[in-house]
Amino acid sequence: MSRWKIDVNQGACVGSGMCAGTAPEHFRLDGAAASAISEEIDAHDGVIDAADSCPVEAILVRELVGGKVVAPVD
Ligand code: SF4
């Protein structure tokens, strides 16, 4: 199974809560900004959905080995 790394740009995050609503096992809202519950995870489709649904593209998901971008996709 692939391992992924999640980066949340808290400066860009507008606190919509979409990510925590879409993948609550991977994101939480801390006050006005979201963060990843764990930055290194096993591949999980819900994380892609969360990154794609973020209105400001503040969530970047990459393969842990090699750094290839998994989401968001254009
Ligand atoms: S979906 Fe994006 S803007 Fe909304 S809380 Fe998550 S990271 Fe922040």
Side-chain angles (χ1 to χ4, degrees), residues 1-62:
M1 178 178 286
S2 298
R3 293 279 292 169
W4 291 349
K5 184 168 190 310
I6 303 172
D7 286 303
V8 178
N9 180 343
Q10 295 191 318
C13 173
V14 294
S16 71
M18 286 288 290
C19 53
T22 301
E25 65 276 45
H26 289 296
F27 298 94
R28 67 175 162 238
L29 206 51
D30 299 322
S35 61
I37 292 170
S38 177
E39 291 189 352
E40 297 182 4
I41 63 162
D42 290 333
H44 183 256
D45 285 347
V47 172
I48 294 179
D49 294 341
D52 285 341
S53 67
C54 176
V56 293
E57 297 195 349
I59 299 170
L60 179 63
V61 185
R62 288 176 292 176

